[in-house]
Amino acid sequence: MNNSHLLLLILFLGICHVSWAVEKKTYIVHMAKSEMPLSFEEHTNWYDSSLKSVSDSAEMMYTYNNVIHGFSTRLTHEEAELLLEKPGILSVLPEVKYELHTTRTPEFLGLDTKTEGFLPNSESVSDVIVGVLDTGVWPESKSYDDKGLGPIPSGWKGECEIGKTFSASNCNKKLIGARSFSKGYEATLGPIDESKESKSPRDDDGHGTHTSTTAAGSVVDDASLFGYAQGTARGMATRARIAVYKVCWIGGCFSTDIMMAMDKAIEDGVNILSMSLGGGMSDYHRDSVAIGAFSAIQKGIFVSCSAGNSGPTPYSLSNVAPWITTVGAGTLDRDFPAYVNLGNGKNFSGVSLYSGKPLSSTMLPFIYSGNATNSTNGNLCMTGTLIPEKVAGKIVLCDRGLNPRVQKGQVVKDAGGYGMVLANTEANGEELVADAHLLPASTVGQKAGDSIKDYLFKDSNPTVTIDFSGTKVGISPSPVVAAFSSRGPNTITAEILKPDLIAPGVNILAGWSGGIGPTGLSIDTRRVGFNIISGTSMSCPHVSGLAALIKAAHPDWSPAAIKSALMTTSYSSYKSGEKLLDIATEHQATPFDYGSGHVDPVSALDPGLVYDLTVDDYLEFFCALKYTDAQINNLAKRKYTCDAGKNYSVSDLNYPSFAAEFDSVTSGSGSTGSSSSPSVVKYTRTLTNVGAPGTYKVTLTSESESVKISVEPNSLSFTQQNEKKMYTVTLKASSMPSGTKSFARLEWSDGKHIVGSPMAFSWV
């Protein structure tokens, strides 16, 4: 290398280093409030002084008072490192981007007129406030009608934020609060483009309106999407109040905004927090949602989050902190069949929400997209990949993947195609998600798709038509675990089984934004009051609304008690006795797929016994995780020192389910901790009686002999409410090959109640 080239290289590296050093990013700064020097009267003055000590130009974006003590700001990497060394600084965490986890449901869950006697009265439900962090609210939706509701709860401290396209009059006695948070978003991606989305609580996306009305929407008669799923739409807790916190924008949801929204929600006085979003996995003391949720549960607020849409891949969960209720997705007993009829006489069942002019009964020419393109991924019907001369006047088979399902149909339509058959590939298997297509279209499973392709490849003149059959109910088996629903095991703490439970999350009808069409595509000019969409984003608010019902029935219950009631009364078998199925494998699902099982709200209102937890229990859990004093302070917002003489165990957290990891090499060589367990594991659990006096006896069912399970004592007698009784579970595991999984179930019953707990074991 000559001298001139060497000089250029040095200059290039120098420029790169300078740009890295001066590039500012958003950070959330956690302060130890108790360590504020006496020279400061206000903690905000101390925060500002600490910040100015490393950067004269830096400004505080948000100041947090409830989820943490601290602030958010923009700093260079070097400034962030310097700030971390200052007195009273617990942590300086970089901004994290989160993503959204995107009628008949009450009847399917048993919340109909036949069970009204089991439900809390409307006055107590109307005292419960459900806070929803999402894309905002479309206040004109009929699902926010406040007819029949009394005055807003006296403890409510929130507000209806005034902004462009949003005024105080948009709130009422149902929608009692609406705020938006965008400083973190704008600091990273620049000013919000108000020609594309409202810089206010108004929902231009639809997702937030759908989730909040699923949780607590008012009763709306004759609701449907283009006639599909027609009937009475209602949220889970129809009389509960709704407060909306807009934290998600076109470019995503940012942790600084999420934390500020949680901070305000706690201050405003919500009882339930529902968050259908998730980001990357990290330890609890570095996870903004986990940190905010821990502050919420300390105030008695129940927090539910979506498990994620990364299934059926193992270890794909989001939001796994034990104080968060992590919700996976299952199907309803409702479908929207659209039959694909081939020229050879064979018929295949698919699904669709298409509502336009139907195809004629005559057969139409049929072509595979991979044979109508010059592109290597033309089989996916990506924009601009189809050749119009080959597609015009035909129905096109497209493979699912990469681009949105409905967009594929528009690509076919733009190329002159008359319709589309959308075929699942191995990634989605037999899972069928219905869409409001812009042209006649049906989605079929992988097996049907392969058979249809076989016909296309072998027949010299293939033809097809699609018949749309509206809405059908009573589909069996149901529920089944959705393929997209994220799965365990838990990557952060293997001894905490996640998800906690599943709820309806496939083809769910709920309120929608008037600012966007049902497909979410800009080319979709249709406007609807209700939409049908799928995701763990939809299952999460079901549980949030059900938690509101339990809170109304039992206002003195802790978030952990409510969670326990939901988990221990969930079911993991059909009425026939067969285990719940996983649509991804078409075989029996496991607790790593559904947690405790599918939610059963009527049973959850009267669980008999609960596994309760206090803040101190969680602090001891942190000690078992070997967290430092600073890391615990980061979560608890107070000083707490673990007792060096005490033997803390993760397995002693009073959780309603059980999980263990064993060493696969030699049964006795494992070490205690969150990553592995010895061949003998002991759990202690405490049950609290929340029902009538009675004696509960234990039963165990196990899939294999690889783990021997014993419970002492085998019966528990309760003479009064709130009485507590302890029991011990001992596991003795055999050595098994790495990757082996085994499951069991523990149940306590007094003859009326069944208090069930799943048990999941894996060898690593």
Side-chain angles (χ1 to χ4, degrees):
M1 180 182 292
N2 60 39
N3 289 338
S4 61
H5 287 158
L6 181 61
L7 180 60
L8 285 171
L9 178 62
I10 292 170
L11 285 171
F12 174 75
L13 292 173
I15 291 169
C16 289
H17 173 74
V18 170
S19 68
W20 173 80
V22 300
E23 180 187 2
K24 292 203 171 191
K25 295 182 179 179
T26 305
Y27 292 89
I28 298 173
V29 182
H30 296 234
M31 306 285 286
K33 189 176 179 181
S34 61
E35 296 180 21
M36 183 180 76
L38 296 175
S39 56
F40 294 97
E41 291 186 3
E42 296 288 339
H43 63 277
T44 52
N45 295 335
W46 176 44
Y47 297 169
D48 188 59
S49 175
S50 300
L51 179 58
K52 290 295 191 288
S53 70
V54 299
S55 174
D56 290 333
S57 61
E59 300 288 340
M60 289 190 289
M61 291 162 50
Y62 290 123
T63 302
Y64 305 104
N65 300 312
N66 299 295
V67 289
I68 62 167
H69 296 138
F71 59 93
S72 56
T73 187
R74 299 276 288 176
L75 297 170
T76 65
H77 177 78
E78 183 181 28
E79 289 167 346
E81 292 289 320
L82 288 172
L83 184 60
L84 188 57
E85 297 173 1
K86 298 294 179 180
I89 306 293
L90 293 171
S91 67
V92 181
L93 303 180
E95 176 89 274
V96 175
K97 181 181 174 183
Y98 289 74
E99 301 289 348
L100 295 166
H101 288 151
T102 303
T103 81
R104 176 165 172 76
T105 313
E107 288 83 356
F108 181 71
L109 293 173
L111 299 177
D112 54 21
T113 54
K114 296 176 184 177
T115 57
E116 282 183 354
F118 294 95
L119 303 179
N121 66 64
S122 59
E123 286 76 15
S124 62
V125 178
S126 66
D127 288 335
V128 180
I129 302 165
V130 181
V132 182
L133 273 65
D134 214 293
T135 64
V137 61
W138 191 262
E140 292 80 11
S141 169
K142 293 179 181 179
S143 295
Y144 301 114
D145 187 350
D146 65 353
K147 183 179 179 181
L149 285 173
I152 293 170
S154 58
W156 176 244
K157 301 182 181 67
E159 66 177 43
C160 196
E161 180 184 301
I162 298 172
K164 190 174 181 181
T165 71
F166 209 90
S167 66
S169 63
N170 287 128
C171 291
N172 58 18
K173 290 183 288 185
K174 179 66 172 180
L175 177 64
I176 64 173
R179 300 179 186 265
S180 66
F181 304 86
S182 59
K183 289 181 181 179
Y185 174 90
E186 291 189 308
T188 301
L189 297 180
I192 287 169
D193 184 348
E194 295 191 55
S195 69
K196 295 181 179 178
E197 57 183 333
S198 306
K199 192 176 179 180
S200 76
R202 182 164 291 278
D203 180 13
D204 305 295
D205 178 271
H207 192 278
T209 300
H210 199 281
T211 55
S212 61
T213 58
T214 297
S218 298
V219 175
V220 181
D221 293 326
D222 198 29
S224 73
L225 172 64
F226 303 132
Y228 288 101
Q230 190 160 16
T232 300
R234 48 170 289 176
M236 296 297 97
T238 58
R239 307 289 291 179
R241 319 296 178 131
I242 297 172
V244 166
Y245 301 83
K246 183 176 179 178
V247 296
C248 296
W249 309 83
I250 287 175
C253 327
F254 288 79
S255 55
T256 47
D257 297 327
I258 293 169
M259 288 200 78
M260 193 65 220
M262 295 176 79
D263 198 274
K264 281 296 182 185
I266 293 170
E267 185 178 295
D268 289 346
V270 304
N271 306 109
I272 311 290
L273 264 178
S274 185
M275 294 184 285
S276 292
L277 46 80
M281 294 294 294
S282 56
D283 284 333
Y284 309 128
H285 63 88
R286 297 183 60 83
D287 182 331
S288 296
V289 168
I291 293 168
F294 191 69
S295 294
I297 64 108
Q298 290 184 78
K299 299 286 187 179
I301 300 168
F302 177 91
V303 182
S304 58
C305 292
S306 47
N309 295 342
S310 299
T313 306
Y315 299 98
S316 55
L317 291 163
S318 296
N319 304 313
V320 297
W323 49 92
I324 291 173
T325 300
T326 311
V327 189
T331 63
L332 290 173
D333 64 341
R334 179 178 65 196
D335 214 346
F336 309 102
Y339 299 99
V340 178
N341 305 317
L342 303 182
N344 63 3
K346 291 185 177 180
N347 303 311
F348 296 91
S349 180
V351 296
S352 182
L353 297 170
Y354 174 69
S355 63
K357 183 180 178 181
L359 293 167
S360 65
S361 57
T362 58
M363 307 298 281
L364 292 170
F366 196 18
I367 190 170
Y368 179 50
S369 55
N371 295 332
T373 180
N374 291 322
S375 171
T376 55
N377 60 358
N379 64 305
L380 298 173
C381 296
M382 307 285 284
T383 302
T385 60
L386 297 182
I387 300 171
E389 292 77 13
K390 292 189 176 184
V391 169
K394 299 177 182 177
I395 292 180
V396 181
L397 186 144
C398 302
D399 286 326
R400 185 172 168 181
L402 289 187
N403 58 331
R405 299 181 298 272
V406 179
Q407 189 181 72
K408 295 174 187 288
Q410 185 62 36
V411 171
V412 171
K413 189 176 182 180
D414 290 342
Y418 281 4
M420 175 182 70
V421 175
L422 180 59
N424 280 358
T425 59
E426 185 179 359
N428 304 104
E430 301 309 306
E431 178 176 72
L432 298 180
V433 177
D435 293 297
H437 291 283
L438 295 163
L439 85 171
S442 176
T443 300
V444 298
Q446 182 189 4
K447 292 177 181 177
D450 289 345
S451 296
I452 295 170
K453 287 176 198 174
D454 185 63
Y455 165 68
L456 275 169
F457 297 151
K458 290 180 179 178
D459 197 292
S460 59
N461 185 32
T463 57
V464 69
T465 191
I466 304 172
D467 290 332
F468 302 94
S469 297
T471 305
K472 289 195 175 182
V473 297
I475 302 298
S476 181
S478 59
V480 298
V481 179
F484 61 73
S485 187
S486 290
R487 315 301 172 98
N490 184 337
T491 56
I492 304 299
T493 314
E495 294 88 346
I496 303 298
L497 179 61
K498 292 281 182 169
D500 290 310
L501 73 172
I502 62 171
V506 179
N507 297 333
I508 303 301
L509 179 78
W512 194 248
S513 168
I516 195 167
T519 64
L521 299 178
S522 58
I523 54 175
D524 189 356
T525 59
R526 301 171 297 177
R527 295 295 181 265
V528 297
F530 293 85
N531 199 8
I532 295 172
I533 56 176
S534 301
T536 54
S537 279
M538 284 63 256
S539 54
C540 168
H542 278 89
V543 169
S544 306
L546 297 175
L549 290 179
I550 298 174
K551 179 72 176 176
H554 307 283
D556 57 334
W557 281 13
S558 70
I562 295 173
K563 176 178 183 173
S564 174
L566 288 163
M567 289 175 64
T568 61
T569 57
S570 292
Y571 60 91
S572 56
S573 300
Y574 301 111
K575 291 180 180 179
S576 65
E578 295 292 318
K579 295 289 186 183
L580 296 185
L581 294 178
D582 179 359
I583 201 167
T585 63
E586 297 186 86
H587 294 115
Q588 289 185 359
T590 77
F592 287 137
D593 307 320
Y594 55 66
S596 293
H598 191 282
V599 68
D600 181 355
V602 175
S603 296
L605 286 164
D606 179 25
L609 307 173
V610 296
Y611 295 87
D612 208 353
L613 281 162
T614 66
V615 173
D616 285 345
D617 292 324
Y618 288 118
L619 295 177
E620 293 197 355
F621 172 72
F622 299 149
C623 292
L625 294 176
K626 304 193 184 313
Y627 277 10
T628 65
D629 290 358
Q631 289 168 344
I632 295 175
N633 197 338
N634 222 25
L635 281 153
K637 303 195 306 299
R638 61 184 171 96
K639 286 186 175 181
Y640 183 85
T641 301
C642 301
D643 184 347
K646 186 172 181 178
N647 183 27
Y648 297 98
S649 173
V650 173
S651 59
D652 282 343
L653 185 70
N654 200 39
Y655 211 67
S657 58
F658 299 82
E661 266 189 355
F662 300 105
D663 194 317
S664 62
V665 181
T666 57
S667 155
S669 64
S671 59
T672 57
S674 63
S675 62
S676 63
S677 301
S679 60
V680 177
V681 178
K682 287 193 175 183
Y683 303 88
T684 56
R685 291 289 190 270
T686 301
L687 283 164
T688 302
N689 181 37
V690 292
T695 297
Y696 286 77
K697 295 182 179 180
V698 73
T699 58
L700 284 165
T701 54
S702 182
E703 289 185 0
S704 73
E705 297 296 316
S706 55
V707 181
K708 303 289 186 183
I709 308 169
S710 61
V711 180
E712 289 291 338
N714 59 15
S715 68
L716 298 170
S717 293
F718 297 89
T719 58
Q720 58 188 6
Q721 274 207 351
N722 298 317
E723 185 179 0
K724 297 179 185 293
K725 290 291 177 84
M726 185 181 294
Y727 70 94
T728 302
V729 177
T730 303
L731 308 178
K732 294 183 180 179
S734 304
S735 181
M736 301 292 288
S738 180
T740 300
K741 292 178 174 59
S742 179
F743 305 97
R745 186 169 178 83
L746 180 153
E747 292 182 348
W748 292 94
S749 179
D750 63 349
K752 176 185 177 182
H753 306 91
I754 296 176
V755 185
S757 296
M759 310 181 90
F761 316 120
S762 52
W763 283 258
V764 296

